[in-house]
Amino acid sequence: MAKVNERRINYNEDDYETLKRLMVEEPFRSLNLIDIFAISLIYGKKAGIRTPLDKKKTGRIRQTTIENSNVHYLMMAVAVEETGSFEVLAKRNDYFKICEEYAKTGLSLLEEDFIENPKGLLDDLELEALKYFDKFIKQ
């Protein structure tokens, strides 16, 4: 049973279907939901576009899963960079929402890039993650 205050990463149903389609293809087959969320988040952040979720959305990734992964730190870094303030970290719903919206954009872009360049996508993703790390986290 979920905790009363537990927050989940939400997806719209159509986005979740996209995610499931990607998860059966290489290079995504060995990844789980939290990994693909992180990749989508980085893609959306790089594009600089936040896309609001529909009112009808479903929680797919539990807060405990997020907090037990390094993705939690990525989310916090994105939210602080977005708002320019550490205060956003005190408002879990606010920083989750920021990340969900970037990930929604990123998932669409990820799907487009995968269709166009399925073999080189993994190398591109690794390079993008390293660039983001160097720019925002390593400092």
Side-chain angles (χ1 to χ4, degrees):
M1 181 176 229
K3 295 177 189 172
V4 173
N5 291 330
E6 183 174 85
R7 176 66 158 80
R8 293 175 179 236
I9 294 294
N10 293 306
Y11 283 97
N12 294 339
E13 281 306 311
D14 57 334
D15 295 328
Y16 187 62
E17 292 302 316
T18 299
L19 212 150
K20 288 193 310 189
R21 280 193 307 275
L22 285 174
M23 288 181 75
V24 298
E25 301 289 339
E26 288 295 338
F28 306 103
R29 190 174 296 154
S30 62
L31 303 178
N32 57 35
L33 283 177
I34 193 78
D35 295 331
I36 297 178
F37 172 77
I39 293 167
S40 300
L41 172 56
I42 292 169
Y43 249 54
K45 179 65 178 151
K46 179 181 182 259
I49 302 168
R50 289 174 50 187
T51 306
L53 275 62
D54 298 336
K55 289 184 182 198
K56 187 177 181 180
K57 55 190 177 270
T58 305
R60 297 291 179 178
I61 304 171
R62 294 176 188 231
Q63 179 180 329
T64 53
T65 302
I66 298 159
E67 289 175 349
N68 288 321
S69 75
N70 289 332
V71 174
H72 189 236
Y73 301 112
L74 173 64
M75 291 173 64
M76 292 167 39
V78 167
V80 168
E81 195 275 330
E82 175 75 9
T83 63
S85 171
F86 284 99
E87 291 177 18
V88 71
L89 301 180
K91 301 173 186 167
R92 184 175 44 222
N93 281 333
D94 291 354
Y95 81 82
F96 269 53
K97 180 180 177 188
I98 290 167
C99 295
E100 288 167 342
E101 291 178 351
Y102 275 128
K104 179 173 176 51
T105 300
L107 188 60
S108 296
L109 297 173
L110 188 62
E111 182 182 38
E112 288 173 21
D113 286 354
F114 177 72
I115 290 168
E116 292 173 10
N117 185 21
K119 296 197 187 289
L121 182 63
L122 191 57
D123 292 334
D124 293 346
L125 290 173
E126 183 178 15
L127 183 61
E128 290 304 322
L130 290 171
K131 284 181 189 176
Y132 186 85
F133 178 81
D134 286 342
K135 183 174 181 182
F136 294 107
I137 300 174
K138 189 176 177 182
Q139 301 177 352

